[in-house]
Amino acid sequence: MALFLIVALQNSAPAFQLALSSKIAPESLYTIETGKWIVDSPATTSKNLADSLEVGATEPFLIIPVTGYFGRAQPDLWEWLAAKIAAKAVAA
């Protein structure tokens, strides 16, 4: 499993929200805010994740692997990230 940041651009957030809610388990998805998510996915690359979500080819977006993090945000985001990263370390 790998962590990815998904950012829906322009008006693509509804298409991504639908795809994520139907293809990603709730415990593997963290909604930062509308149009921005972190996903814990079995995909090995950003392209693999994009393909698995099957969002229309015209929807603009970014998918970026998360290999580290820093910033200021709600405490539960940091807890979610720390738990996911710790689980990966145990599994490795």
Side-chain angles (χ1 to χ4, degrees):
M1 302 284 273
L3 295 175
F4 296 91
L5 171 68
I6 299 176
V7 178
L9 302 174
Q10 298 171 5
N11 296 322
S12 65
F16 272 90
Q17 183 64 57
L18 180 62
L20 290 166
S21 64
S22 66
K23 298 180 185 294
I24 303 293
E27 64 275 5
S28 295
L29 180 65
Y30 185 92
T31 301
I32 298 170
E33 61 184 40
T34 302
K36 298 177 183 89
W37 305 268
I38 297 180
V39 176
D40 188 12
S41 170
T44 56
T45 67
S46 299
K47 173 87 166 84
N48 292 142
L49 178 55
D51 291 346
S52 72
L53 292 175
E54 299 175 336
V55 176
T58 61
E59 300 293 351
F61 65 92
L62 297 171
I63 297 179
I64 302 167
V66 175
T67 58
Y69 59 90
F70 176 82
R72 291 184 184 91
Q74 55 275 30
D76 62 322
L77 169 59
W78 305 124
E79 293 167 9
W80 190 90
L81 282 168
K84 294 297 180 183
I85 290 172
K88 288 173 192 347
V90 169

